[in-house]
Amino acid sequence: MSAPLFLVESLPAGSSYTLDGPEGHHAATVQRLRVGEALILADGRGGTARAEVTAVGRGSVEVMVSAVGQEPAADPRLVVVQGIAKGDRGELAVQAMTEVGVDEILPWAASRSVAQWRGDRGVKARDKWAATTREAAKQARRSWLPVVTGDPDCSTKVVAARIAGAAAAFVLHEEATGRLTTAALPEQGDIVLVVGPEGGISDAELEAFREAGATPVRLGTAVLRTSTAGVAALAVLNSRLTRW
């Protein structure tokens, strides 16, 4: 079993370090790490430190650092514009997309989104997505923490502007004739992938994204849920970009 990963604000400057706070509590009390066990400290920005537990306290562990490394940022970057979904489907999508390698997630208030993220409710909902990416990144042992960006109720206009500035952009659409498996991909820059909500993407939204430079694509003959479409598309891109 691979060593568990814990997120820290910054990597240790020396060879010894005390992991405390919520992460220390999780290591000592939840995972019950013992002296001699290995773990990984990560700053969420590509930096990692491999370490070994030397002592366990109440809600903290002492570690000895054996190696420090830096993983370069992904390029191209995989950015998913995720239509806001009702219930826990959005969180399920965010969790799975983080596990398979998304670099950035942008919540999108599509015209057919049932759930509305406005005011304090929107801020809390977006923060929940960010917390989900954090936990999923730890589970997947990712040294780079995906970011959840944009306003909680990001508009179609804002999404179109993001598409216009990307190296490539694709809209998952069940009526598209082109396939993501054969679409031309850039060697660097942002690849933006738009995933609609449960009700799909409206004709007006699709046209706005086309005008901004996005290409409608499909994955196959089946129509996927909003909670699984992005994950499937990321798997295709990971394979084609030789990340996998």
Side-chain angles (χ1 to χ4, degrees):
M1 183 177 179
S2 60
L5 183 145
F6 300 91
L7 290 169
V8 295
E9 288 298 322
S10 57
L11 296 181
S15 59
S16 60
Y17 181 77
T18 301
L19 180 65
D20 53 15
E23 294 290 81
H25 170 78
H26 190 77
T29 307
V30 180
Q31 293 205 0
R32 298 183 179 181
L33 295 184
R34 296 292 179 258
V35 172
E37 291 191 278
L39 58 81
I40 302 171
L41 303 175
D43 61 8
R45 301 177 296 278
T48 58
R50 294 190 172 273
E52 182 179 300
V53 178
T54 56
V56 180
R58 287 189 70 180
S60 66
V61 295
E62 302 290 332
V63 303
M64 182 67 68
V65 177
S66 58
V68 177
Q70 178 68 41
E71 180 182 341
D75 192 20
R77 294 178 70 248
L78 300 180
V79 181
V80 174
V81 175
Q82 175 65 53
I84 296 172
K86 64 181 179 180
D88 62 355
R89 290 181 182 174
E91 290 172 42
L92 290 173
V94 167
Q95 177 182 5
M97 290 191 297
T98 298
E99 291 175 2
V100 299
V102 72
D103 297 301
E104 182 181 346
I105 300 172
L106 185 68
W108 170 40
S111 62
R112 294 176 180 171
S113 289
V114 176
Q116 300 295 317
W117 284 12
R118 295 195 178 99
D120 291 341
R121 179 185 178 185
V123 173
K124 291 178 180 178
R126 184 182 61 181
D127 288 347
K128 197 167 185 179
W129 277 22
T132 299
T133 65
R134 181 182 177 89
E135 293 307 311
K138 289 166 57 178
Q139 177 66 33
R141 315 296 199 266
R142 290 191 57 179
S143 61
W144 280 92
L145 184 63
V147 292
V148 180
T149 58
D151 294 328
D153 55 349
C154 186
S155 68
T156 296
K157 182 178 180 180
V158 171
V159 173
R162 185 62 187 272
I163 288 172
F170 304 99
V171 181
L172 296 184
H173 198 275
E174 65 272 15
E175 296 180 0
T177 56
R179 294 180 179 272
L180 186 59
T181 51
T182 57
L185 300 179
E187 294 184 358
Q188 58 186 11
D190 286 354
I191 298 177
V192 175
L193 185 70
V194 180
V195 180
E198 298 96 328
I201 298 173
S202 71
D203 292 342
E205 289 166 339
L206 182 61
E207 184 58 29
F209 297 154
R210 280 180 185 270
E211 291 181 356
T215 301
V217 294
R218 64 185 306 159
L219 293 170
T221 57
V223 178
L224 303 182
R225 290 179 178 269
T226 186
S227 55
T228 56
V231 182
L234 286 171
V236 171
L237 292 175
N238 277 328
S239 178
R240 294 195 59 201
L241 295 169
T242 65
R243 286 192 178 190
W244 286 7

